[in-house]
Amino acid sequence: MGDFEAIGKQFVQFYYSTFDTNRSALSSLYRDESMLTFETDKIAGVAAIVEKLTNLPFQKVEHKTDSVDAQPADAEGGILVLVTGALLTEGQERPMSFVQTFHLKQAGGSYFVFNDIFRLVYPAA
Amino acid sequence: MGDFEAIGKQFVQFYYSTFDTNRSALSSLYRDESMLTFETDKIAGVAAIVEKLTNLPFQKVEHKTDSVDAQPADAEGGILVLVTGALLTEGQERPMSFVQTFHLKQAGGSYFVFNDIFRLVYPAA
């Protein structure tokens, strides 16, 4: 397993455990140049991204990942990650499928989220 | 709409119409440095990628996209695209949900697929 795969999986595990337990701490993973597409909303910059994520219309959420795939995205250590999974929010009886792709960039020896695109997936037909 | 969104959507339309009508012509979209993760298979380079795609166990396939989101991926004109949709292969009665993320890089005034990750998505729970 390449380093990028181990780093991608570690990142994903940390991301969703932080999302599900202490959402405002996701601020450590974004920067001013970060972009988030959350369904049809487009948000830029760590402050606006964390405001969006902390104000989603549910307090409790649980993410479960089904697949995590990673590839090297550039010559500077960037990593592209695609996640498929399911999430369950408070008050809902059934989980919803989601997909999320992250483009992690390296800066100063650590990684931050440069690109982040999230979509719910509805059953085909 | 930013250029990256128009280019992302044009690319996606071209990609799946080529996939569904003349799969071997996808070779024009990949290069030797391209990577494909197709479910659990990891493939590198245009020749191996096109061999994989043309030897999938179906002759006819029809892709339908539900969402196409794009973001600028780097300072050199790269574009990250996330697609959700459904595909129907010959002999199957029901479409399957899929997700695919592309990292398009610019070279010599045109784009090629640097990263490509494809996953089928199964209904949650």
Side-chain angles (χ1 to χ4, degrees):
Chain A
M1 176 153 59
D3 270 0
F4 59 92
E5 289 192 304
I7 294 166
K9 283 182 202 298
Q10 278 171 19
F11 165 80
V12 166
Q13 188 174 21
F14 181 73
Y15 184 89
Y16 294 116
S17 81
T18 304
F19 201 115
D20 294 355
T21 58
N22 184 16
R23 220 180 298 165
S24 62
L26 292 172
S27 60
S28 68
L29 300 176
Y30 295 93
R31 297 204 174 185
D32 284 341
E33 60 266 46
S34 302
M35 288 164 273
L36 167 66
T37 302
F38 189 91
E39 295 280 87
T40 54
D41 288 350
K42 301 171 206 302
I43 301 130
V46 55
I49 288 170
V50 173
E51 187 184 355
K52 171 72 182 178
L53 296 177
T54 52
N55 285 296
L56 291 172
F58 48 79
Q59 291 298 312
K60 288 186 185 170
V61 59
E62 193 179 336
H63 290 80
K64 187 179 71 67
T65 61
D66 290 325
S67 69
V68 178
D69 296 299
Q71 291 181 353
D74 56 50
E76 291 80 42
I79 300 173
L80 182 66
V81 182
L82 179 66
V83 181
T84 69
L87 60 85
L88 188 64
T89 60
E90 58 188 1
Q92 284 200 313
E93 289 187 0
R94 305 187 61 166
M96 292 180 291
S97 296
F98 75 91
V99 299
Q100 193 159 10
T101 189
F102 298 100
H103 178 197
L104 308 179
K105 285 199 180 183
Q106 208 169 15
S110 66
Y111 284 89
F112 70 98
V113 178
F114 185 71
N115 300 104
D116 180 351
I117 306 178
F118 172 94
R119 279 277 181 179
L120 293 171
V121 180
Y122 301 96
Chain B
M1 177 152 62
D3 269 2
F4 58 92
E5 290 192 302
I7 293 165
K9 283 181 202 298
Q10 278 172 19
F11 165 80
V12 166
Q13 187 174 24
F14 182 74
Y15 184 89
Y16 293 116
S17 80
T18 304
F19 200 115
D20 294 354
T21 58
N22 184 16
R23 221 179 298 165
S24 61
L26 291 172
S27 59
S28 68
L29 301 177
Y30 294 95
R31 298 203 174 185
D32 284 343
E33 61 265 45
S34 302
M35 290 163 271
L36 168 65
T37 301
F38 189 91
E39 294 280 86
T40 54
D41 288 351
K42 301 171 207 300
I43 302 131
V46 54
I49 288 170
V50 172
E51 188 184 354
K52 171 71 182 178
L53 296 178
T54 53
N55 285 296
L56 292 171
F58 48 79
Q59 291 298 310
K60 289 186 184 170
V61 59
E62 191 179 335
H63 290 80
K64 184 178 72 67
T65 61
D66 290 326
S67 69
V68 178
D69 296 299
Q71 292 180 353
D74 57 47
E76 292 80 43
I79 300 172
L80 181 67
V81 183
L82 179 66
V83 181
T84 70
L87 59 84
L88 187 64
T89 61
E90 59 190 0
Q92 283 201 315
E93 289 187 1
R94 304 188 61 166
M96 291 181 290
S97 296
F98 74 91
V99 298
Q100 193 159 11
T101 190
F102 298 101
H103 178 196
L104 309 178
K105 285 199 180 184
Q106 208 168 15
S110 67
Y111 284 88
F112 71 98
V113 178
F114 185 72
N115 300 104
D116 180 352
I117 307 178
F118 172 95
R119 279 278 179 178
L120 293 171
V121 179
Y122 300 97

